[in-house]
Amino acid sequence: MLSRVTLAAVMAGAALMTTPQAEAASAKPVIRYAGLGSCLQADGGRHPCGPLKLWLSNGRVVALPGARRTAAPDEYVTAAVIAVSQDGAQAAYFAGKDGVLTIWEAATGRAREIPTVTWPDDLQMNALTLAPGGRFVSMRGGDASEREIDRVVDTTNGKVFTLPRGYQSWDFSPDGKRMMAGDNRTAVLYATGTWSVKLRRSVYMRGDLAPDGVTVAAPKWTKAGGSVKNVVLTRNLATAKKSTVPIRLHAGEVALKARWDKAGHLDVLTRSDRQVRGDLRRTHTWYRLDRGTHQLRRLDSFVIPSSVGGYVLAG
């Protein structure tokens, strides 16, 4: 899913288990984040420059010179034109020349064009969301009357499903078979492809959709006195059953989001910031949460330099 991340709180923590280097080396590369580089200005400031880029878990940086972007000269905004799937396996963007939707695959390093899906000229897009597997893409933006429109496109046949007015697409299940959408009062679970409603709830919780297609998860922190309590909440939208799993983070780490994989593993993404010789270092870490023992195992960790702006994280 797409976000511009901001630091929300300071958290205390304890020692965490780490992933063996051999395990990380054998894993297939994934996209950690997408974004724009920047160039120095005469006054010492920076402005966005160059093409959109993808930063991979194997250290590669892939430039996308043909990707369309709508950033103004003094902005870093990229959310409207590029998306990274929750699992980091694909990125979606529109080719600048002909506006054709393009899916870039991390495993192969190749891009495939979707000629049946092109840039929607009738929308001023503000969000693009890519389902795991790359079959469905949600395009959200305002029309000429400034109403928000959210369309979900099936990249296999070009068919479009338009959500009811006021609804936004929030999240896809890891297998791409369910989509969660809604407004400020209601959550709706759709079966992708047929777009039939499988569940509608007036009480809901925003988060990442599990493989069962009904459970969502999200991190939460609460501050009491001088201490901070960090937890991951899960909620079954069918039964309304909730659970809370305490997590322990290092001092200064902020839990940003949770995500499920196809096997039902639950991962947590964190961020911690520090200044190094006047440069802001943003460190993001993915942990796998053992819901039985409450232990965290580090899967991946990377630093986003201050020269990268408007970045879009996987997950």
Side-chain angles (χ1 to χ4, degrees):
M1 308 209 111
L2 300 179
S3 65
R4 179 171 290 186
V5 183
T6 57
L7 187 60
V10 175
M11 299 185 174
L16 303 167
M17 298 177 64
T18 60
T19 303
Q21 291 183 355
E23 180 181 338
S26 63
K28 293 181 179 179
V30 295
I31 304 165
R32 286 169 165 167
Y33 60 97
L36 286 172
S38 66
C39 296
L40 286 172
Q41 300 175 158
D43 61 2
R46 289 183 174 272
H47 68 275
C49 63
L52 284 165
K53 297 178 181 178
L54 304 174
W55 282 261
L56 308 186
S57 58
N58 61 5
R60 289 185 61 205
V61 179
V62 178
L64 305 173
R68 179 179 293 193
R69 65 183 181 90
T70 59
D74 59 345
E75 293 181 341
Y76 277 131
V77 178
T78 64
V81 292
I82 193 164
V84 181
S85 61
Q86 289 112 303
D87 56 9
Q90 294 105 5
Y93 58 92
F94 290 91
K97 183 179 180 180
D98 49 15
V100 171
L101 181 69
T102 304
I103 308 292
W104 192 90
E105 304 280 347
T108 63
R110 298 177 180 176
R112 59 184 177 94
E113 292 188 343
I114 314 297
T116 55
V117 184
T118 57
W119 181 277
D121 290 326
D122 62 330
L123 294 182
Q124 180 62 48
M125 285 201 297
N126 54 43
L128 187 67
T129 306
L130 177 64
R135 179 176 175 182
F136 300 101
V137 176
S138 165
M139 300 181 293
R140 186 166 71 246
D143 63 10
S145 60
E146 298 185 351
R147 293 184 308 166
E148 187 173 82
I149 307 294
D150 197 324
R151 298 169 182 160
V152 186
V153 180
D154 187 334
T155 64
T156 64
N157 52 31
K159 292 184 178 180
V160 176
F161 169 66
T162 301
L163 287 169
R165 184 176 178 179
Y167 277 28
Q168 295 180 354
S169 55
W170 291 336
D171 192 57
F172 291 89
S173 61
D175 59 8
K177 293 182 179 180
R178 291 283 179 95
M179 185 185 77
M180 181 168 63
D183 56 18
N184 291 330
R185 298 178 300 275
T186 306
V188 180
L189 296 177
Y190 291 95
T192 55
T194 64
W195 302 111
S196 57
V197 174
K198 294 300 182 183
L199 182 67
R200 189 185 303 271
R201 278 285 181 191
S202 58
V203 178
Y204 68 94
M205 184 182 81
R206 292 282 292 268
D208 195 59
L209 195 58
D212 64 6
V214 294
T215 302
V216 295
K220 182 180 179 180
W221 65 273
T222 56
K223 188 173 182 179
S227 63
V228 176
K229 182 181 179 181
N230 308 287
V231 299
V232 173
L233 302 176
T234 65
R235 181 166 188 162
N236 185 304
L237 295 180
T239 65
K241 182 179 179 180
K242 295 188 291 185
S243 68
T244 302
V245 180
I247 57 174
R248 302 176 68 185
L249 301 175
H250 294 294
E253 269 189 298
V254 178
L256 298 178
K257 60 179 69 179
R259 72 176 180 191
W260 304 86
D261 68 4
K262 289 183 179 180
H265 299 123
L266 184 57
D267 299 336
V268 180
L269 177 67
T270 68
R271 171 177 168 171
S272 60
D273 290 4
R274 65 190 181 99
Q275 292 284 338
V276 179
R277 293 187 294 274
D279 184 40
L280 175 64
R281 299 291 179 88
R282 298 163 287 189
T283 300
H284 291 279
T285 303
W286 280 108
Y287 297 105
R288 177 145 295 166
L289 172 62
D290 186 318
R291 286 180 285 162
T293 65
H294 303 174
Q295 287 186 324
L296 296 173
R297 177 166 61 92
R298 186 169 63 87
L299 300 177
D300 188 26
S301 186
F302 52 94
V303 175
I304 302 180
S306 58
S307 59
V308 177
Y311 60 92
V312 175
L313 291 161

